[in-house]
Amino acid sequence: MMKESALYPIGCIIMASGSALRFGSNKLLTSFNGRPLIQHILDITDGLFAARVVVTRYEKIAAICKRQNIPYILHNKPYLNDTVRLGMAYIEPQDPLGYIFCTSDQPFLQRVSLRRLCDSFLSAPYAIERLAYGSSPGNPMLFPQDLSEELKTLPQDRGGSAVAKKYPERVRLVQVQDKYELFDIDTVRDLRQGLNLAAAKRSEQ
């Protein structure tokens, strides 16, 4: 993938530790159009950020990252806040202006939307930026550095949305072009819907 000449001074934490109980197996390894579902977020974040790390509890995901020379943390901690804390600890020494947290199950998220989110943040680096379609917010979310201590000390199994709810006046919604960019796969039914949507998009091209 062609890389932009300038990297955003932002740390990217790719969250890949979920148990996927509703899916019934590790959904991030499930094939989506012939590739593991996680591969999409690895591709669209490539070459955008000054620092990037995948945080996972799964050896097979760590192996994917190793083959592609993507930094990763393989851990056995049980909670969502553990994933946040471990990712930030890896990124923090590089002193980023902010931290973007990306889930790994959004197969239609576009690279241009990540850039739009980051550009919005750089214009006001005190804001909490969040992708949205209309008034419906989604992921990723981007937090300024001054909130790093609160993110690192989140309650058990809570994510960044808890901090965003605490400071609603600082949240800015950045619009995606296609509502399906915010679509995530939690169940086998979601997977079927996503594959059908991908086939429809291909037929329109």
Side-chain angles (χ1 to χ4, degrees), residues 26-204:
N26 191 337
K27 63 181 178 180
L28 302 184
L29 296 172
T30 297
S31 177
F32 193 91
N33 290 342
R35 306 187 309 164
L37 179 60
I38 193 175
Q39 189 61 50
H40 181 69
I41 194 66
L42 301 181
D43 287 349
I44 66 172
T45 56
D46 182 43
L48 279 185
F49 302 102
R52 179 175 66 148
V53 66
V54 176
V55 186
T56 186
R57 291 191 288 144
Y58 302 104
E59 292 184 2
K60 289 184 178 180
I61 290 177
I64 290 172
C65 295
K66 186 174 182 179
R67 287 196 297 270
Q68 299 177 43
N69 295 314
I70 298 170
Y72 65 90
I73 298 170
L74 181 62
H75 69 98
N76 60 1
K77 305 294 184 182
Y79 299 116
L80 176 59
N81 59 320
D82 295 319
T83 302
V84 171
R85 177 175 46 80
L86 290 169
M88 293 185 68
Y90 178 90
I91 298 289
E92 190 173 30
Q94 301 193 48
D95 197 27
L97 288 180
Y99 298 86
I100 183 171
F101 294 89
C102 298
T103 62
S104 302
D105 59 357
Q106 293 177 264
F108 303 109
L109 183 63
Q110 297 181 29
R111 185 179 178 91
V112 66
S113 293
L114 295 179
R115 293 184 62 83
R116 191 178 298 117
L117 190 72
C118 294
D119 288 339
S120 180
F121 173 73
L122 291 182
S123 72
Y126 55 83
I128 300 170
E129 305 280 351
R130 187 169 194 176
L131 286 183
Y133 185 78
S135 60
S136 299
N139 291 307
M141 300 179 68
L142 202 169
F143 294 87
Q145 189 184 61
D146 74 284
L147 294 176
S148 60
E149 288 304 314
E150 294 195 47
L151 289 165
K152 288 188 292 184
T153 56
L154 283 164
Q156 180 175 300
D157 216 21
R158 299 294 299 275
S161 59
V163 176
K165 289 176 181 177
K166 185 177 178 180
Y167 302 104
E169 73 283 355
R170 295 179 66 174
V171 176
R172 300 203 311 182
L173 300 182
V174 178
Q175 297 297 312
V176 294
Q177 298 300 304
D178 182 341
K179 66 179 180 179
Y180 287 107
E181 288 191 63
L182 304 183
F183 174 80
D184 59 5
I185 293 177
D186 290 324
T187 65
V188 174
R189 181 178 179 180
D190 292 338
L191 176 64
R192 288 196 296 265
Q193 182 182 351
L195 290 171
N196 289 338
L197 179 61
K201 286 179 175 291
R202 287 195 301 271
S203 68
E204 293 171 359

